[in-house]
Amino acid sequence: MGEGRPLGVGLIGAGKIGRVHARNLAERLSGARLVAVADPEAGAASAIADRLGAGAVCAAPEELLAHEAVEAVVIASPTPTHADLIHAAAASGKHVFCEKPIALDLAVIDAALGAVARAGITLQVGFQRRFDRSFRQARDLVAAGRIGRPRLVRVTSRDPQPGPIQYLRESGGLFMDMTIHDFDVARFLIADEVDEVTALGTVLVDPAIGTEANDVDTAIVTLRYASGALGVIDNCRQATYGYDQRAEVFGSEGAVMVGNEELDRTTLVTADGARNANPKPWFTDRYADAYAAEMQAFVDAVRSGRPAEVGGEDGRAPVAIALAAQRSALEGRPVLVSSVEPLPRQAHAAS
Amino acid sequence: MGEGRPLGVGLIGAGKIGRVHARNLAERLSGARLVAVADPEAGAASAIADRLGAGAVCAAPEELLAHEAVEAVVIASPTPTHADLIHAAAASGKHVFCEKPIALDLAVIDAALGAVARAGITLQVGFQRRFDRSFRQARDLVAAGRIGRPRLVRVTSRDPQPGPIQYLRESGGLFMDMTIHDFDVARFLIADEVDEVTALGTVLVDPAIGTEANDVDTAIVTLRYASGALGVIDNCRQATYGYDQRAEVFGSEGAVMVGNEELDRTTLVTADGARNANPKPWFTDRYADAYAAEMQAFVDAVRSGRPAEVGGEDGRAPVAIALAAQRSALEGRPVLVSSVEPLPRQAHAAS
Amino acid sequence: MGEGRPLGVGLIGAGKIGRVHARNLAERLSGARLVAVADPEAGAASAIADRLGAGAVCAAPEELLAHEAVEAVVIASPTPTHADLIHAAAASGKHVFCEKPIALDLAVIDAALGAVARAGITLQVGFQRRFDRSFRQARDLVAAGRIGRPRLVRVTSRDPQPGPIQYLRESGGLFMDMTIHDFDVARFLIADEVDEVTALGTVLVDPAIGTEANDVDTAIVTLRYASGALGVIDNCRQATYGYDQRAEVFGSEGAVMVGNEELDRTTLVTADGARNANPKPWFTDRYADAYAAEMQAFVDAVRSGRPAEVGGEDGRAPVAIALAAQRSALEGRPVLVSSVEPLPRQAHAAS
Amino acid sequence: MGEGRPLGVGLIGAGKIGRVHARNLAERLSGARLVAVADPEAGAASAIADRLGAGAVCAAPEELLAHEAVEAVVIASPTPTHADLIHAAAASGKHVFCEKPIALDLAVIDAALGAVARAGITLQVGFQRRFDRSFRQARDLVAAGRIGRPRLVRVTSRDPQPGPIQYLRESGGLFMDMTIHDFDVARFLIADEVDEVTALGTVLVDPAIGTEANDVDTAIVTLRYASGALGVIDNCRQATYGYDQRAEVFGSEGAVMVGNEELDRTTLVTADGARNANPKPWFTDRYADAYAAEMQAFVDAVRSGRPAEVGGEDGRAPVAIALAAQRSALEGRPVLVSSVEPLPRQAHAAS
């Protein structure tokens, strides 16, 4: 690929997150062009293509993958389609940016990663928090040894509102849908693997989340890392004050905290106290720059031939931790992450 | 103009701030299209037009104003050209967004505003801080009576680095080039007029600013408002820690503060203390959203026929205050703003 | 007891925390006089008595309890002596302020509380954080319904340095010695009981804490409350940046956070970032006012005949939780607090 | 004076600030004893003496000064008495801690300082902010060169409520009564002298402050330092949110800020925003530790024979600046501090 020629990118899935990626590709990034959009809902695909000047509107992903201008695809379709699309992209020799999770089943993921490896394409998984300035700065400070040896990791992640019951029912559950980002952050911040998980979940936001979606809406998950460090994540599907995204790593020489970004920096001080603005309300605000940065990193990786910063193993590991968390919550006991592995891997992990 | 048809906008001046406006017009705003770019440096204009898909590249502003697709112009050329371009745009019936200041001479401004009024075009002046979320929130809280009757206004405005001496020499001086934004903020925050100014200036950053640019680089300006409230602005051309933009309004029922936006929200805590990130480094970062919002407001005003939020009088008043500040610094005494008015206005103000 | 006559208080135990109480009694409180000090080390008792003008120096607690001017005692001697001294004070009809924990054995505690009840004396237990302005304000906001129904409680508690191995070996272990305060805070903040505990502990600060004191130095403890709310406490025996004492309650309508008190409110901003002071270094600084306030509350309770704010049950419950945490850490599973109860209580709890 | 023997201190003036000093001397300081109290109101003096175990109650300061146990005096009587009492103390060879201001007249101050010098006694003036941890830390950072060469100093000082009109009428006026502390802080923070003052005052809190006390209640004062640095102080007699005490020094390498100390460190976050506590409500809270520290410094200076940290010249300079500010506000122009000097000094300053 010539130094100067922009990468032709096709978008599969014109839903909420697909539109975020499309707009970044069309307007904010250098070195890439959005050249095709595919969505079963033709209207959604056309709307993006028209708005952003993308050339082709495809009814099916296969059509998009066959398009000669498409050199890489962004998979932003529903989770159950991810693995098959990765296989198809690999077969077409197209690079892949895939939204999380790759799949809910580790064997399925392994097969997809195998196809990626055999095809020699670049795969990046959509864990955008790694590209947020604050999380990245925290990671860098830890990596530079500024807090010494990590001892404790804390992640707080609370959504402003739960999605509709229908969405929650198909989401894979809180640990797979929501905590998965925190499992990724937990690995990212200290570059360490999670060995054991203990998950406590409960229904405090909406009884229907339990009765109709068979899920929990509030949870605390503790982690044991390979290094011996401990971690804890707390989640809730609903926070009245906005999207709450904080983290902390505590180590032998200090600690690093990631705080929320407020909506503004205005303080009102009256006899009733000093009032500051709330956190940004939702992920599209909080991580607007991170979404652009992760896509830029993908484009740069493809164009330079360097490996993606968030590769297949980074997409797989949080799924394994989430599976362990699900089992822990169900059985009320700590669960080794290695115990949820498909048999060959599990044998390997135990050796 | 039809409800749905986007406004055709031409950009005059393809320098740093011109590029900010061009990109916002092309990518971030709704209801507008960038249709032409004019700059004496053809390369600069072409670069913008190519990058953003703007149709016409014009060597001269006259050519751009004659372009039928151009319904409104953004004047981002050097200050000495502003007034003539406003006259030309008014003569062509094109709406005008003009960077500050309109001119350094009140009579020149008055003539330009007269032409605008006679032509019935919309004029908005580029005081972008009024569209910053935090300054706007502070203004709204004051306007809603949340701090009672204003008593004191404080504005801190410090640049990261002085521009080159050549720039400073032609800038109109610190009060006209830099403090002018603070004079605007001072008026905006409490919707009150400044009657009297006392300015103290000194050279502490770079002796050449005094000897070669005949200017000061560090200043404190105090204000008396028509309401009796007092104000103070402090400026410096150089702050090692970034672009420092803060304000405070103190009133009978409380106070409202505007703080800096940090580069990230990471805190490192070690035996040496707790370290947070510095403010965003420069105005293009700090006011990125504000530049988009002010241009959106201009487009919306033109399309709806409503008056611009920052009109001619708002463009004129800070120039008058800056002239009074210059005289105050020179003569070492408080100066009435009315005393720098051209004769007819001055007589009016005194009556 | 007459309205105006100050309460005569005797201090048993002239160690570090005893000196804090003595000074508060002598200098900061109203309605109390320090009239006697007892300590096996005569020099320590005399030093306090001389410095503060306390009348009697006693070699043995019995002597102090027999002193007619002593109406109430502060028990600040080593933990193993607490229960016997409560029995002795109850037998003498002297009111008791007892440092935590009352004992490490619930049956022993129950016997002591029985003696207190039969004697009709006032007993207050030394959980001083309940009298810290910030923790109390948080409790009050929760009690007033300002955050709605509590869902999550987070407590961070990290000491600046571990005590000597000899101290740690006799301390009862991290959960009983250090986390016990956090268990108290966890109950206090949301006025709810802890039903189940899961504790993860590890040795990351000093291997000798494991090998010589048979203890952990870093831990995360999760809680299930009777209401269904979840909680988490994180501890470490060593934090390079000072004494870290934070908490948060998250509920259906919002959240309340308790932050650290810094050593000063000075911020240094340079090209390297904005640096604030660290938290106050140790409990005697952080809780100086809380120690005075808890003792004032005790004196006021005795003089007014009202019940103590932190009574016997509040002294007992954190010990039960700590015992459950110890078992949980040992057995690697969640432990019901009711399961560590002596048999009769356990039967009662299970019914 | 023997190494171990405490300094005998007599208190003259048993009003509000006198009681603060008395309690510190009796309870918080080492190396000092409160041995006598004098006040025209015998009840006030007795109340202190009884409460704190001070031996002698004196009707007149002369009696106290004649008391052999009195080695040093704290002058906390009304300002008009200060100078005469300093003369009397000097004549008796007693060291003096004198509340600010020494006098409202520079010649009177000079005579008092002359008497002090001739007697060879120690004199410390009551500018307690110099002993506040935050202001001191800021001063130390500046002195250590951490912000480079100072360019701008900002001081904010707002009282929660004005005193009664009767008090204000006798206070010497806002600049002498309230801003005087800020003039001291302005000198202290950067160890530089103020050469020129421009004061703007107005009446916005209570018209009676203008009509009955002939004073202003809101003011901004700008300063030119000998080094060329600029400064600004803003004051108001009334702030609904508490006692507002902030400062900032900006220099060539950075800035240092002093913020308020809040009442507690609790944050309530709801849909309405994040609410923090207000500043401590009044000077006895904000500067409680500073009052103890300044008196300890006085006692240590006397006992060690080292010069006082806040000597006669530090007591005199803010009075001169306040006099210049009064003249500036009256005449509406910048005033050189040297121009308010008594003639011989003025001549000296001009030379």
Side-chain angles (χ1 to χ4, degrees):
Chain A
M1 181 176 13
E3 184 71 19
R5 198 163 53 79
L7 182 73
V9 182
L11 170 69
I12 302 175
K16 185 164 193 183
I17 191 68
R19 286 195 296 272
V20 170
H21 292 313
R23 189 162 176 175
N24 284 333
L25 282 163
E27 298 183 343
R28 295 189 61 172
L29 303 192
S30 61
R33 284 182 313 139
L34 179 65
V35 293
V37 182
D39 196 282
E41 254 189 82
S46 303
I48 288 181
D50 289 355
R51 168 92 181 78
L52 299 169
V57 174
C58 308
E62 293 74 21
E63 191 186 331
L64 183 142
L65 283 165
H67 199 296
E68 66 173 324
V70 170
E71 295 165 289
V73 292
V74 170
I75 302 177
S77 50
T79 297
T81 67
H82 290 181
D84 285 349
L85 288 169
I86 291 173
H87 282 284
S92 313
K94 310 286 166 104
H95 303 285
V96 175
F97 178 97
C98 183
E99 268 304 317
K100 63 87 202 168
I102 298 175
L104 306 186
D105 183 298
L106 294 177
V108 171
I109 294 175
D110 288 337
L113 299 189
V116 164
R118 285 188 300 273
I121 59 168
T122 298
L123 168 70
Q124 183 172 325
V125 181
F127 285 121
Q128 86 287 349
R129 281 190 219 165
R130 290 180 177 232
F131 298 89
D132 173 78
R133 280 191 92 119
S134 299
F135 282 97
R136 183 160 283 245
Q137 170 73 351
R139 192 274 311 257
D140 290 349
L141 290 166
V142 171
R146 300 293 291 274
I147 64 155
R149 192 163 67 115
R151 292 173 181 169
L152 293 167
V153 174
R154 300 200 322 172
V155 180
T156 287
S157 182
R158 300 171 192 156
D159 284 355
Q161 280 297 337
I165 289 292
Q166 179 64 21
Y167 168 82
L168 296 180
R169 196 182 287 144
E170 298 171 0
S171 71
L174 183 123
F175 299 117
M176 190 62 80
D177 177 53
M178 185 171 164
T179 326
I180 194 169
H181 278 292
D182 307 311
F183 293 138
D184 177 57
V185 164
R187 291 179 71 245
F188 173 66
L189 286 174
I190 67 171
D192 195 2
E193 294 298 332
V194 173
D195 276 359
E196 189 190 272
V197 186
T198 312
L200 280 77
T202 186
V203 178
L204 295 172
V205 173
D206 180 358
I209 292 175
T211 56
E212 296 180 35
N214 195 29
D215 199 6
V216 296
D217 54 36
T218 306
I220 292 179
V221 183
T222 57
L223 315 171
R224 273 193 197 274
Y225 285 92
S227 69
L230 305 178
V232 62
I233 296 163
D234 75 86
N235 290 141
C236 189
R237 286 280 193 189
Q238 183 197 57
T240 57
Y241 51 85
Y243 185 46
D244 193 351
Q245 296 280 288
R246 291 173 284 159
E248 174 174 343
V249 185
F250 167 74
S252 57
E253 302 300 328
V256 60
M257 287 87 167
V258 173
N260 284 307
E261 289 182 9
E262 293 91 354
L263 267 170
D264 64 55
R265 299 309 307 267
T266 308
T267 304
L268 174 67
V269 189
T270 66
D272 290 331
R275 202 197 65 180
N276 292 296
N278 272 333
K280 292 181 177 172
W282 201 201
F283 66 95
T284 40
D285 312 288
R286 174 65 174 86
Y287 293 120
D289 289 346
Y291 282 115
E294 71 170 357
M295 197 56 70
Q296 186 69 63
F298 171 66
V299 169
D300 292 350
V302 169
R303 297 181 85 216
S304 69
R306 284 195 301 270
E309 277 195 58
V310 195
E313 199 56 33
D314 291 322
R316 184 191 196 277
V319 175
I321 305 173
L323 291 170
Q326 289 174 339
R327 189 176 297 175
S328 170
L330 206 65
E331 302 183 4
R333 62 173 184 86
V335 170
L336 290 173
V337 175
S338 61
S339 73
V340 303
E341 287 291 344
L343 284 185
R345 274 245 190 182
Q346 196 172 353
H348 178 72
S351 69
Chain B
M1 180 176 18
E3 183 73 17
R5 200 164 53 79
L7 182 73
V9 181
L11 171 69
I12 302 174
K16 184 162 194 186
I17 192 68
R19 286 195 297 271
V20 170
H21 292 313
R23 189 159 176 178
N24 286 332
L25 283 163
E27 299 182 342
R28 295 189 58 172
L29 303 192
S30 59
R33 283 184 312 140
L34 180 65
V35 293
V37 183
D39 197 280
E41 254 189 81
S46 303
I48 289 182
D50 289 354
R51 168 92 181 79
L52 300 169
V57 175
C58 309
E62 293 74 19
E63 189 186 333
L64 184 142
L65 283 165
H67 200 295
E68 65 173 326
V70 170
E71 296 166 289
V73 292
V74 170
I75 302 178
S77 50
T79 298
T81 68
H82 290 181
D84 284 350
L85 288 169
I86 291 174
H87 282 283
S92 315
K94 310 285 165 105
H95 304 285
V96 175
F97 178 98
C98 183
E99 269 305 316
K100 64 87 202 169
I102 299 173
L104 305 186
D105 182 300
L106 293 177
V108 171
I109 293 176
D110 289 338
L113 298 189
V116 164
R118 285 188 300 274
I121 58 168
T122 298
L123 169 69
Q124 183 173 323
V125 181
F127 284 122
Q128 85 288 350
R129 280 191 221 166
R130 290 180 177 233
F131 297 90
D132 173 78
R133 280 192 93 120
S134 299
F135 282 97
R136 182 159 284 244
Q137 170 73 352
R139 192 273 312 256
D140 291 349
L141 289 166
V142 172
R146 299 293 291 275
I147 64 153
R149 193 163 67 114
R151 293 174 180 167
L152 292 167
V153 174
R154 300 201 319 174
V155 180
T156 288
S157 184
R158 302 173 191 154
D159 284 355
Q161 280 297 338
I165 289 292
Q166 178 65 18
Y167 168 83
L168 297 180
R169 196 182 287 144
E170 297 171 0
S171 71
L174 183 124
F175 300 118
M176 189 62 81
D177 176 53
M178 183 170 165
T179 326
I180 194 169
H181 277 291
D182 307 312
F183 294 138
D184 177 57
V185 163
R187 292 179 70 245
F188 174 65
L189 285 174
I190 67 170
D192 195 1
E193 294 298 333
V194 173
D195 276 0
E196 189 189 272
V197 186
T198 312
L200 280 76
T202 186
V203 178
L204 296 171
V205 173
D206 179 359
I209 292 176
T211 55
E212 297 180 33
N214 195 27
D215 198 5
V216 295
D217 54 36
T218 306
I220 292 178
V221 183
T222 58
L223 314 171
R224 273 193 197 273
Y225 286 92
S227 68
L230 304 178
V232 63
I233 296 163
D234 75 85
N235 290 141
C236 189
R237 287 278 193 190
Q238 181 196 58
T240 56
Y241 51 85
Y243 185 45
D244 193 351
Q245 296 280 289
R246 290 173 286 157
E248 175 174 342
V249 185
F250 167 74
S252 57
E253 303 299 328
V256 60
M257 287 87 167
V258 173
N260 283 309
E261 291 182 9
E262 294 91 354
L263 266 172
D264 63 55
R265 298 310 307 267
T266 307
T267 305
L268 174 68
V269 190
T270 66
D272 289 332
R275 201 199 65 179
N276 292 295
N278 271 334
K280 291 181 177 172
W282 201 202
F283 67 95
T284 40
D285 312 287
R286 174 66 175 86
Y287 293 121
D289 289 345
Y291 281 116
E294 73 169 356
M295 197 55 69
Q296 186 69 64
F298 171 65
V299 169
D300 292 348
V302 169
R303 297 181 84 215
S304 69
R306 285 193 302 268
E309 278 194 60
V310 195
E313 198 55 36
D314 292 321
R316 182 190 197 280
V319 174
I321 304 172
L323 290 169
Q326 289 174 338
R327 189 177 298 175
S328 172
L330 207 63
E331 302 184 4
R333 61 171 184 87
V335 169
L336 289 173
V337 175
S338 61
S339 74
V340 302
E341 287 292 344
L343 283 184
R345 275 243 189 184
Q346 194 173 355
H348 179 72
S351 71
Chain C
M1 180 176 16
E3 185 69 18
R5 200 163 54 78
L7 181 74
V9 181
L11 169 70
I12 301 175
K16 185 165 193 185
I17 192 67
R19 287 195 296 272
V20 170
H21 293 313
R23 189 161 175 177
N24 284 332
L25 282 163
E27 297 182 345
R28 294 189 60 170
L29 305 191
S30 60
R33 285 183 310 141
L34 178 65
V35 294
V37 182
D39 196 280
E41 253 189 82
S46 302
I48 290 182
D50 289 355
R51 168 91 180 79
L52 299 169
V57 174
C58 309
E62 294 74 21
E63 191 187 332
L64 182 143
L65 283 165
H67 198 297
E68 66 173 325
V70 171
E71 295 165 290
V73 292
V74 169
I75 301 178
S77 49
T79 297
T81 68
H82 289 180
D84 285 350
L85 288 169
I86 291 174
H87 282 283
S92 313
K94 310 289 167 97
H95 304 285
V96 174
F97 178 98
C98 183
E99 268 305 316
K100 63 88 203 169
I102 299 175
L104 306 187
D105 182 300
L106 294 176
V108 171
I109 294 176
D110 289 338
L113 298 189
V116 164
R118 285 188 299 275
I121 58 169
T122 297
L123 169 69
Q124 183 173 324
V125 181
F127 284 121
Q128 87 286 351
R129 283 191 219 166
R130 291 181 176 232
F131 297 89
D132 174 78
R133 282 190 90 122
S134 299
F135 282 97
R136 181 160 286 243
Q137 171 73 352
R139 193 272 313 257
D140 291 349
L141 290 166
V142 172
R146 300 293 291 275
I147 63 154
R149 193 164 65 116
R151 292 174 181 168
L152 292 167
V153 174
R154 300 201 319 173
V155 180
T156 287
S157 182
R158 301 172 193 154
D159 284 355
Q161 280 297 338
I165 290 292
Q166 178 65 18
Y167 168 81
L168 296 180
R169 195 182 287 145
E170 297 171 0
S171 70
L174 182 125
F175 300 117
M176 189 63 82
D177 176 53
M178 185 172 163
T179 326
I180 194 168
H181 278 291
D182 307 310
F183 294 138
D184 178 57
V185 163
R187 293 178 70 243
F188 173 66
L189 285 174
I190 67 169
D192 195 1
E193 294 298 334
V194 173
D195 276 0
E196 191 189 88
V197 186
T198 311
L200 280 77
T202 187
V203 178
L204 295 171
V205 174
D206 180 359
I209 292 175
T211 53
E212 296 180 34
N214 194 29
D215 198 5
V216 295
D217 54 37
T218 305
I220 291 179
V221 184
T222 59
L223 314 171
R224 273 193 197 275
Y225 286 92
S227 68
L230 304 177
V232 61
I233 296 162
D234 75 85
N235 291 140
C236 189
R237 287 280 193 190
Q238 182 196 57
T240 55
Y241 51 84
Y243 185 46
D244 192 351
Q245 297 279 289
R246 291 173 285 157
E248 175 174 344
V249 185
F250 167 72
S252 57
E253 302 300 326
V256 60
M257 286 89 168
V258 173
N260 283 309
E261 292 181 9
E262 294 90 355
L263 265 171
D264 63 56
R265 298 310 306 267
T266 307
T267 304
L268 174 67
V269 189
T270 66
D272 290 331
R275 202 197 66 179
N276 292 296
N278 272 333
K280 292 181 177 174
W282 202 202
F283 68 94
T284 40
D285 313 286
R286 173 67 174 85
Y287 293 121
D289 289 346
Y291 282 115
E294 71 168 358
M295 197 55 70
Q296 186 70 62
F298 171 66
V299 168
D300 292 349
V302 168
R303 296 180 86 215
S304 69
R306 285 193 302 270
E309 277 195 59
V310 194
E313 198 57 32
D314 290 322
R316 184 189 194 279
V319 174
I321 304 172
L323 291 169
Q326 288 175 338
R327 191 178 296 176
S328 172
L330 206 63
E331 304 183 3
R333 61 173 186 85
V335 170
L336 290 173
V337 175
S338 62
S339 74
V340 303
E341 286 292 342
L343 283 185
R345 275 245 189 179
Q346 195 174 352
H348 178 71
S351 71
Chain D
M1 181 176 15
E3 183 71 18
R5 200 164 53 78
L7 182 73
V9 181
L11 171 69
I12 301 175
K16 185 166 192 183
I17 193 66
R19 286 194 297 273
V20 170
H21 293 313
R23 189 162 174 175
N24 284 333
L25 282 163
E27 297 182 344
R28 296 188 60 173
L29 304 192
S30 59
R33 283 183 313 138
L34 180 65
V35 294
V37 182
D39 196 280
E41 252 189 83
S46 302
I48 288 182
D50 289 356
R51 168 91 181 78
L52 299 171
V57 174
C58 309
E62 294 75 20
E63 191 186 332
L64 184 141
L65 283 165
H67 199 297
E68 64 172 327
V70 170
E71 296 165 288
V73 292
V74 170
I75 302 179
S77 50
T79 296
T81 67
H82 289 180
D84 284 350
L85 288 169
I86 290 173
H87 282 284
S92 314
K94 309 288 167 101
H95 304 285
V96 174
F97 177 97
C98 183
E99 268 306 317
K100 64 87 206 170
I102 298 173
L104 306 187
D105 183 298
L106 293 176
V108 172
I109 293 174
D110 289 337
L113 299 189
V116 164
R118 287 187 299 275
I121 58 168
T122 297
L123 168 70
Q124 184 174 321
V125 180
F127 285 122
Q128 86 286 349
R129 281 191 220 166
R130 290 180 176 231
F131 297 90
D132 173 78
R133 280 191 92 119
S134 300
F135 282 97
R136 181 160 285 244
Q137 170 72 354
R139 192 273 312 256
D140 290 349
L141 289 166
V142 172
R146 298 293 291 273
I147 64 155
R149 193 164 66 117
R151 293 174 181 168
L152 293 167
V153 174
R154 301 200 319 171
V155 180
T156 287
S157 181
R158 302 171 191 154
D159 284 355
Q161 280 297 338
I165 290 293
Q166 178 64 21
Y167 168 81
L168 297 179
R169 195 182 289 143
E170 297 173 0
S171 70
L174 183 124
F175 300 116
M176 190 62 82
D177 176 51
M178 185 171 162
T179 326
I180 194 170
H181 278 292
D182 307 311
F183 294 138
D184 177 57
V185 163
R187 293 179 70 245
F188 173 65
L189 285 175
I190 65 170
D192 195 2
E193 294 299 333
V194 173
D195 275 359
E196 189 191 271
V197 186
T198 312
L200 279 77
T202 185
V203 178
L204 295 171
V205 174
D206 179 359
I209 292 176
T211 55
E212 296 181 35
N214 195 28
D215 198 7
V216 296
D217 53 37
T218 305
I220 292 179
V221 184
T222 57
L223 315 171
R224 272 193 197 273
Y225 285 91
S227 68
L230 305 178
V232 62
I233 296 163
D234 76 85
N235 290 140
C236 189
R237 286 280 194 190
Q238 181 195 57
T240 56
Y241 52 84
Y243 185 46
D244 193 352
Q245 294 280 290
R246 289 173 286 158
E248 175 174 342
V249 185
F250 167 74
S252 57
E253 302 299 328
V256 59
M257 287 87 167
V258 173
N260 283 308
E261 292 182 8
E262 295 90 355
L263 266 171
D264 63 57
R265 298 309 307 266
T266 307
T267 305
L268 174 67
V269 189
T270 65
D272 290 333
R275 202 198 65 182
N276 292 295
N278 272 333
K280 291 180 178 174
W282 203 201
F283 67 94
T284 40
D285 312 288
R286 175 67 174 85
Y287 294 120
D289 289 347
Y291 282 115
E294 72 169 357
M295 197 55 70
Q296 185 70 63
F298 171 65
V299 169
D300 292 349
V302 170
R303 296 180 86 215
S304 68
R306 286 194 300 269
E309 277 195 57
V310 195
E313 198 56 34
D314 291 320
R316 185 190 193 279
V319 174
I321 305 172
L323 291 169
Q326 289 174 339
R327 191 178 295 177
S328 171
L330 206 64
E331 303 183 3
R333 61 171 185 88
V335 169
L336 290 172
V337 175
S338 62
S339 75
V340 303
E341 288 290 345
L343 285 185
R345 272 243 191 181
Q346 196 173 350
H348 178 71
S351 72

